[in-house]
Amino acid sequence: MATKHDLILEHIENLPVGERISVRSIAKNLRVSEGTAYRAIKDAENIGLVSTIQRVGTIRIERKLKKNIERLTFGEVVRIIEGEVLGGSNGLDKDLNKFVIGAMTEEAMRRYITPGSLLIIGNREGAQKLALQDGAAVLITGGFDTTPEIAKLADDLELPVLSTTYDSFTVATMINRALSDQLIKKDIMQVSDIYMPLEKTVYLQSGDTIANYHRLSEKTGHSRFPVVNKSMRVLGVVTAKDVLGKADNQVIDRVMTRDPNVVKQSMSVASVSHQMIWDGLEMMPVVKDDLSLVGMVSRQDVMKAMQLVQRQPQMSNTISDQIVGDIVTIDTDREDNLLENPYFKFEVTPQMVNSVGTISFGVLSEIVANVAQRSILMDQRRNTLIEQMNLHYLRLIQLESEIEIHSKTLELGRRSAKVDLEVYIDNVIVAKAIVVCQVMERS
């Protein structure tokens, strides 16, 4: 039987997009308490059914679909190129391994066509047939159609023949970007890569007593447990601090922390690390969209994962990597250098400037943030996450300028650090920043 909570979520989901809702209206219309209505609306916000907008209120929104490419299939290629399927639709779920541009003779291109590849070609029936027979899919550019014979061959072999109005160069650029994005996404560690699955997760049920908590704690050696209802929905988290001094027959529900911080499997480990450090959390339940428990992630696992990620090279460069890739660390241990601390140098390249030829504010922000993190790593052997930055752009920084950045750690605590950075051109200060970082624990 559905609970009042479930009925409210179902009611919200059936509301038209754009509809305003409130705790009072939900409580009145569904005849529930305002507390029950409030908790349901917060859950609806967590799973993307509603959004609270300042000076507007809480409104029903359209749930966003996951747009990240888990694996690049031919079906995903159709979406990327805004194309259509001319044949072989049963093969749309097959993976794309590489693409080949057919700007050569059929004999010459044969060596490049392999199973799982995609031949990008114009209106050349012979090349299209060759690709299908060699196990490759076909993408016809320029908006051309194909022949019934090729379409039938594609259906028989379950290899897609696609069509797009874009030219070969544009299509190749779009697909190459998608492949690069896929590699970057794979290299970004997610909760799904490190969390403890449900079959290994220890939890308590609603209605259990503090005596149950003590028995479970003695058995497992753990002191923090999620609390779930009969539908496995997470209701709260109970810790040793919650049960201290309480009677053994007292129900867990009365002492647990309700509506705890939870994470989804698709969240990045970096974002979870940020939350755990800032809020001092040791464990977080991992849930589905309906808040049902699928596992848990510990602070120790997150810290180890973050340390590992920051030591490993990436499979594909992000925009951030491209910006900070040319920053050079200048060692000041030499006798001819009067400065005590190392500093950093880089040159403003054409890719870094805006339309008037000066360095983009976003690029300068990325560089300053990276230098702050490098400084603490070099000085304290501690990895960090940027929490806040106050950047002042004092003078215009022109194309091809050679820049020096000097940093000084103002404060360093167990959880945070504050770094002062000054940006110079020819010994003249051109920008200044104060960066606040979260300091990661050593694993």
Side-chain angles (χ1 to χ4, degrees):
M1 182 177 177
T3 64
K4 290 180 181 180
H5 189 97
D6 295 329
L7 291 174
I8 296 172
L9 288 178
E10 184 179 350
H11 170 77
I12 293 173
E13 194 162 11
N14 289 330
L15 291 175
V17 173
E19 181 90 0
R20 288 183 61 181
I21 66 172
S22 68
V23 171
R24 183 171 297 178
S25 66
I26 291 291
K28 182 178 179 181
N29 294 336
L30 299 183
R31 297 180 180 178
V32 297
S33 70
E34 291 192 359
T36 301
Y38 172 79
R39 288 190 291 273
I41 290 173
K42 292 301 291 183
D43 280 356
E45 190 169 6
N46 288 335
I47 62 179
L49 291 177
V50 301
S51 178
T52 301
I53 303 172
Q54 193 173 9
R55 291 189 292 273
V56 174
T58 302
I59 62 171
R60 173 75 169 91
I61 61 172
E62 188 170 1
R63 193 186 301 214
K64 295 180 180 179
L65 297 175
K66 187 177 180 182
K67 294 183 178 179
N68 292 329
I69 301 172
E70 297 285 352
R71 37 191 279 269
L72 191 60
T73 63
F74 295 118
E76 188 65 32
V77 170
V78 176
R79 185 191 66 79
I80 293 167
I81 64 172
E82 302 168 14
E84 62 176 311
V85 182
L86 304 179
S89 57
N90 287 340
L92 289 174
D93 196 45
K94 294 180 179 178
D95 292 346
L96 166 65
N97 298 324
K98 69 173 184 177
F99 63 87
V100 180
I101 298 178
M104 58 192 86
T105 65
E106 292 177 21
E107 187 62 34
M109 72 175 67
R110 184 185 291 274
R111 60 184 291 191
Y112 298 103
I113 298 174
T114 57
S117 60
L118 175 69
L119 176 66
I120 302 174
I121 196 76
N123 192 22
R124 295 171 57 187
E125 183 181 347
Q128 296 168 20
K129 185 175 181 180
L130 172 66
L132 292 171
Q133 290 173 336
D134 285 358
V138 175
L139 173 56
I140 303 171
T141 58
F144 290 109
D145 205 339
T146 192
T147 64
E149 179 188 357
I150 295 295
K152 183 179 183 305
L153 180 61
D155 289 337
D156 293 341
L157 297 175
E158 297 186 349
L159 289 168
V161 173
L162 314 175
S163 176
T164 180
T165 55
Y166 292 113
D167 60 68
S168 297
F169 175 79
T170 302
V171 165
T173 302
M174 295 166 78
I175 297 175
N176 190 58
R177 173 63 183 272
L179 286 167
S180 178
D181 287 351
Q182 182 193 24
L183 289 175
I184 292 171
K185 179 180 178 294
K186 283 184 176 180
D187 201 47
I188 296 174
M189 191 170 290
Q190 296 180 317
V191 172
S192 57
D193 297 318
I194 66 167
Y195 82 110
M196 183 179 296
L198 185 61
E199 57 268 22
K200 295 183 179 180
T201 298
V202 183
Y203 53 88
L204 288 163
Q205 294 275 356
S206 174
D208 283 346
T209 64
I210 290 178
N212 296 128
Y213 168 89
H214 288 309
R215 282 194 291 270
L216 198 57
S217 181
E218 289 176 8
K219 180 180 177 181
T220 63
H222 298 154
S223 61
R224 297 170 178 83
F225 306 104
V227 181
V228 300
N229 63 12
K230 292 180 179 179
S231 301
M232 294 302 293
R233 182 191 295 274
V234 174
L235 302 178
V237 168
V238 62
T239 70
K241 183 179 178 181
D242 298 323
V243 304
L244 186 65
K246 304 295 192 302
D248 282 352
N249 61 353
Q250 190 163 1
V251 178
I252 286 291
D253 304 51
R254 297 181 64 86
V255 300
M256 70 182 181
T257 300
R258 293 184 175 275
D259 300 321
N261 291 308
V262 297
V263 296
K264 307 285 182 61
Q265 296 180 65
S266 58
M267 291 176 65
S268 71
V269 172
S271 66
V272 176
S273 170
H274 183 282
Q275 190 171 0
M276 281 187 151
I277 293 173
W278 200 248
D279 294 335
L281 303 175
E282 296 295 335
M283 178 274 291
M284 295 178 72
V286 183
V287 299
K288 296 180 182 177
D289 286 343
D290 63 359
L291 297 182
S292 60
L293 184 68
V294 295
M296 59 170 284
V297 62
S298 72
R299 180 167 173 157
Q300 184 179 12
D301 291 337
V302 168
M303 293 301 107
K304 286 181 178 178
M306 286 300 298
Q307 299 279 0
L308 179 63
V309 165
Q310 297 200 24
R311 294 179 191 133
Q312 289 182 335
Q314 289 199 201
M315 297 167 65
S316 184
N317 285 339
T318 63
I319 293 173
S320 175
D321 297 325
Q322 295 169 29
I323 291 173
V324 303
D326 293 329
I327 299 176
V328 177
T329 304
I330 305 300
D331 190 354
T332 57
D333 288 337
R334 298 172 305 179
E335 294 181 0
D336 60 341
N337 200 314
L338 301 178
L339 295 169
E340 296 179 0
N341 300 317
Y343 63 97
F344 304 84
K345 292 183 68 172
F346 73 95
E347 182 177 343
V348 181
T349 64
Q351 291 82 11
M352 294 181 176
V353 299
N354 54 27
S355 58
V356 296
T358 61
I359 192 169
S360 162
F361 191 81
V363 170
L364 183 60
S365 299
E366 188 68 39
I367 289 170
V368 168
N370 182 267
V371 167
Q373 290 179 301
R374 288 195 195 186
S375 299
I376 296 176
L377 182 60
M378 291 172 62
D379 186 37
Q380 301 292 329
R381 298 294 186 266
R382 306 289 293 274
N383 289 310
T384 55
L385 297 172
I386 300 297
E387 176 64 29
Q388 183 180 353
M389 179 165 64
N390 189 2
L391 174 62
H392 297 275
Y393 199 163
L394 306 178
R395 297 193 181 190
L396 295 179
I397 301 175
Q398 304 289 339
L399 175 66
E400 297 183 351
S401 299
E402 290 189 355
I403 290 179
E404 292 184 6
I405 301 183
H406 299 263
S407 67
K408 179 181 179 182
T409 302
L410 301 178
E411 296 177 10
L412 180 66
R414 189 169 64 89
R415 291 190 179 181
S416 67
K418 185 181 291 184
V419 184
D420 175 80
L421 299 109
E422 294 181 338
V423 183
Y424 291 89
I425 298 178
D426 296 330
N427 295 321
V428 175
I429 188 168
V430 294
K432 185 174 177 64
I434 299 292
V435 180
V436 179
C437 308
Q438 284 188 11
V439 178
M440 292 174 55
E441 298 172 356
R442 291 186 173 95
S443 61

